[in-house]
Amino acid sequence: MKKKHLFWLLLPSYWGLTAVAIAAVAFYAFHSMSDLYFKTLENDIHTRALLLADHVEPLASSKDHPAIDELCKKLGKAANTRFTIILPEGKVIGDSDQDPSVMEYHDDRPEVRQALGGNMGIDRRYSRTLKQEMMYVAVPLKGDHFETLCAVRAALPMTAIRAELNSMSVRILGAAILTGLLAMVVCIIVVRRITVPLRGMSRAARYFAEGEFNHRVPAQQTLELNELAETLNTMSAQLNKTLTSLGEQRNEQQAVLSSMDEGVLAIDRKERIIHMNRVAGNILGVDHKGVKRELVQQRIRYANLQEFIKAVLGAQKSVSMDLTLSGEAEKQIQAHGTVLRNAEEESIGALIVLRDVTQLRHLETVRSDFVANVSHELKTPITSIQGFVETLLSDDWNHDPNALHFLEIIHQQSGRLNAIIDDLLTLSRLEQQEGHVLKEPCNLEHMLSNSIDLCQLQATKKNIDIRMDCPVNLILDINAPLLEQAVVNLFINAIKYSEPDKTVRVHVENRPAGQVAISVEDEGFGIENKHLDRLFERFYRVDTARSRKLGGTGLGLSIVKHIAQVHNGTVTVESKLGKGSTFTLVFIGASSESLNVP
Ligand code: ADP
């Protein structure tokens, strides 16, 4: 619907209302005036009729009709009034203007009929006798016995009143038109007084909407409009304050996001980019400024990252993944995604943090290669040193007890060195294998029995009992040699760090979502809480001297952690000093067969 100006909406109604009021007043004034005129004329004629009746009464009693007619003519002329005397049967016996003998019976005239009935009669009509509009008033004339002798009628022409009324109506109409015109002008002024300030305020509101908050609505004359103007000004000031603070907040956030070393990518539920910081743009090779509201598929050409974003949007918790972005220069990326939520905790998209770890991975590879190379290089000389020392110890080369003692030490230390090199090589292999480890269905109970067999000698030496609790025929997709090595490392530690005559328990548990947990529990020395976080780091030992004495390399648990990782699993530890420790390996290894195992 087409919108009208308030001015054109108010003005016609104001005008209409004023016109109706003026018309009503004019109509009422005209009618009151004409009523007054007629009433005055009526009273005047009534008085004349009564006066005539007084004069006619004696003549009527004596039935002197010619005298009555003469009286009518005489007084009618003197008073400029038409007088008529009518007998009860309607016969006219006197008339100021006509000869009564030629006049028709008047008993049918309304005023005469009323007067002959005993009341005063009034009528206005056109007189055919006088050929003009007349007002008639007739009064009864009573005899001594209250019988109606005749009706005395007086009449005056209404021409003068009609002329007066006509001129009055012209004057009233003129006054009404003048008042109407004046009222129209006043209406325009009044309506403008409402609409002009409102238009000013709507203009100001438009300025505010366009962000020009310095504009002010001037003070208004009326209380209500002034209040509205003040409210608008306050609202603008508040808006300005809020927008400034929002702008500052946004700038701060932008500054934080753009100075971050990580790439940040915010995506909405429809996979449109909400925000991309500079680093993310650099990592992904796109201009971070021109990507807002664009679809991920249009701007990010890496299929694996697109899939990762889809996975985060579908997930309820954080997801992390290492990704390789292949292009001109291959990039290694660590991607971490979390669900973006609004104030009502509803998911509105995903937040992806990208870390370019290409350099880091390169350094890790260099370090890992270096360790592998050094270990390889050391392995051969150490093996030959060990061989020669063993030869020297076994043959009768030297019988000097001191020399034998030293040879024993060299043998022992080279053995340790060999063990360290073996562990380092194992770790290097695990690092290189990460993600490419071959897994095959394997009976876990058999694998654990093999592991126990491998440690049995050490256990027997300390009279330690190893007990196993594992579901029979549990078939898992695992790399059996590696997992066996991990379990052996845990058994060896459990035996090493326990007093003799204790028990080591291995317990296997099927958990939901195809997870399997292998726990190795001992009754050994236990570990203080403060060490637990760092226990799986390379060469980290709780008691270095004791570990060395017991032949430890400081790499056993690190190897366990890597083996858990290559199985997409974790290893955790719970321990109480003096009570014992429990190491738990958790990984997804359930094959379809194993899920049927009770
Ligand atoms: P190490 O070759 O010294 O045993 P590990 O990496 O296997 O090296 O273990 C790291 C350290 O954790 C050990 O030096 C030892 O102090 C502690 N530790 C490992 N397993 C146990 C255990 N079952 N009970 C007590 N302490 C343990």
Side-chain angles (χ1 to χ4, degrees), residues 412-430:
Q412 201 188 0
Q413 293 303 324
S414 60
R416 275 201 58 217
L417 209 54
N418 207 11
I420 291 173
I421 289 166
D422 279 344
D423 281 355
L424 282 173
L425 282 170
T426 307
L427 275 171
S428 294
R429 265 198 303 275
L430 282 171

Side-chain angles (χ1 to χ4, degrees), residues 423 489-498 520-528 531 534-544 546-548 550-560 573 575 580-583:
D423 281 355
N489 282 5
L490 293 177
F491 282 157
I492 297 286
N493 279 354
I495 297 164
K496 267 199 301 192
Y497 302 110
S498 293
V520 177
E521 184 188 340
D522 64 49
E523 300 166 348
F525 309 135
I527 307 158
E528 266 185 280
H531 298 290
R534 302 195 56 197
L535 213 59
F536 297 94
E537 288 175 16
R538 287 171 199 207
F539 297 113
Y540 187 82
R541 292 162 170 120
V542 174
D543 182 343
T544 313
R546 184 195 274 169
S547 161
R548 283 214 184 105
L550 295 171
T553 61
L555 292 167
L557 287 181
S558 189
I559 291 172
V560 174
V573 57
S575 188
S581 316
T582 304
F583 288 82

Side-chain angles (χ1 to χ4, degrees), residues 290-303:
V291 293
K292 211 165 177 176
R293 301 266 148 245
E294 298 252 350
L295 274 173
V296 165
Q297 289 81 354
Q298 283 169 354
R299 285 310 190 138
I300 299 172
R301 58 200 158 92
Y302 303 105

